[in-house]
Amino acid sequence: EKAECFVHVYANAGLPNAMGGYDDTPEDMAGYNLPFFENGWVNMVGGCCGSTPPHIAALGKCIADNDFKPRPLPKLGHPKMMLSGLEDLVVDDVHNQLGLPFLNIGERCNIAGSRKFKRLIMAGKYAECMDIAKQQVQDGAHVVDVNVDDGMLDGVAAMQKFVKIAMTEPDVSKAPLMLDASKFEIVMAGLKWCQGKPIVNSISLKVGEELFIE
């Protein structure tokens, strides 16, 4: 109902055993995947850890023998901006107390806008920075802006460390992040560790067309 794209499931051949191996037979794996096929939830299927060519063959045989069909894509409605942390967020569906469309972005984890956050991040006090982020979410922020772009700070390392720690804090990571930086390498550092779908703020042509395209 939600995904406007194709859905791909590639499961392990069961859980790893005490030796780090996988014990599910090809028939086991096909059986565990059966609900996905029966309910028409997937467009593609494959195998990950512990799967072998016979496992993949068993999946194919199960699909062919039962004439299962791929999931039809839902009808496209009005385009909506969809974000996610641990929880999904449909921007169009967010409203303020007056019932008007309004996306509340917490800006307190922005080194350019909060002296307290700047002081903490410069001192490497990431636990206290998390408290700031957590409080914003508790106070109603739908998205948490993260900006560590400062000439006196290693922005790549700071962004990476902040996002890595934030992802371990459910009260923070449940909200989407806004990765806020003027340098591509800082944005990329955040994207590599950010789960879900964040906002990138911002990408511009001021660094040149070649880097912009990259």
Side-chain angles (χ1 to χ4, degrees):
E1 295 177 1
K2 298 294 184 183
E4 298 176 353
C5 56
F6 295 117
V7 176
H8 181 196
V9 170
Y10 52 106
N12 294 344
L15 294 173
N17 57 32
M19 301 301 292
Y22 295 83
D23 299 322
D24 280 6
T25 66
E27 291 71 26
D28 292 334
M29 188 172 179
Y32 290 135
N33 277 273
L34 195 58
F36 292 103
F37 309 150
E38 292 175 331
N39 289 283
W41 289 338
V42 294
N43 300 97
M44 297 175 284
V45 64
C48 194
C49 300
S51 61
T52 63
H55 287 82
I56 306 305
L59 293 173
K61 186 176 186 301
C62 178
I63 293 169
D65 289 351
N66 294 279
D67 196 28
F68 289 126
K69 303 299 181 184
R71 166 185 173 267
L73 294 182
K75 292 182 179 179
L76 294 178
H78 177 73
K80 291 188 175 183
M81 183 177 183
M82 297 182 180
L83 307 172
S84 66
L86 286 177
E87 300 175 3
D88 68 309
L89 175 69
V90 180
V91 174
D92 301 57
D93 297 342
V94 177
H95 299 84
N96 63 10
Q97 295 173 331
L98 300 176
L100 300 174
F102 183 79
L103 185 69
N104 188 358
I105 299 178
E107 292 274 1
R108 296 300 182 190
C109 291
N110 187 327
I111 204 168
S114 169
R115 290 182 180 177
K116 179 179 180 180
F117 179 77
K118 181 176 182 178
R119 185 173 67 252
L120 291 173
I121 203 79
M122 288 292 190
K125 297 182 178 180
Y126 285 86
E128 293 179 49
C129 291
M130 289 304 120
D131 291 337
I132 295 175
K134 188 183 303 183
Q135 189 61 53
Q136 290 182 104
V137 176
Q138 291 174 350
D139 289 343
H142 301 119
V143 177
V144 176
D145 180 87
V146 183
N147 184 326
V148 293
D149 205 352
D150 187 274
M152 300 299 291
L153 184 66
D154 183 343
V156 171
M159 177 65 83
Q160 178 175 286
K161 187 169 184 178
F162 183 95
V163 175
K164 285 174 70 174
I165 296 173
M167 295 303 100
T168 68
E169 296 280 351
D171 290 336
V172 177
S173 60
K174 69 179 182 179
L177 297 183
M178 175 183 282
L179 303 176
D180 186 352
S182 60
K183 298 177 181 177
F184 284 166
E185 58 267 28
I186 297 178
V187 171
M188 290 298 295
L191 287 172
K192 287 177 181 178
W193 292 98
C194 184
Q195 62 192 359
K197 185 180 179 183
I199 297 173
V200 170
N201 175 24
S202 58
I203 294 175
S204 72
L205 281 165
K206 66 183 180 181
V207 293
E209 185 175 348
E210 183 177 348
L211 189 55
F212 174 82
I213 292 173
E214 180 186 338

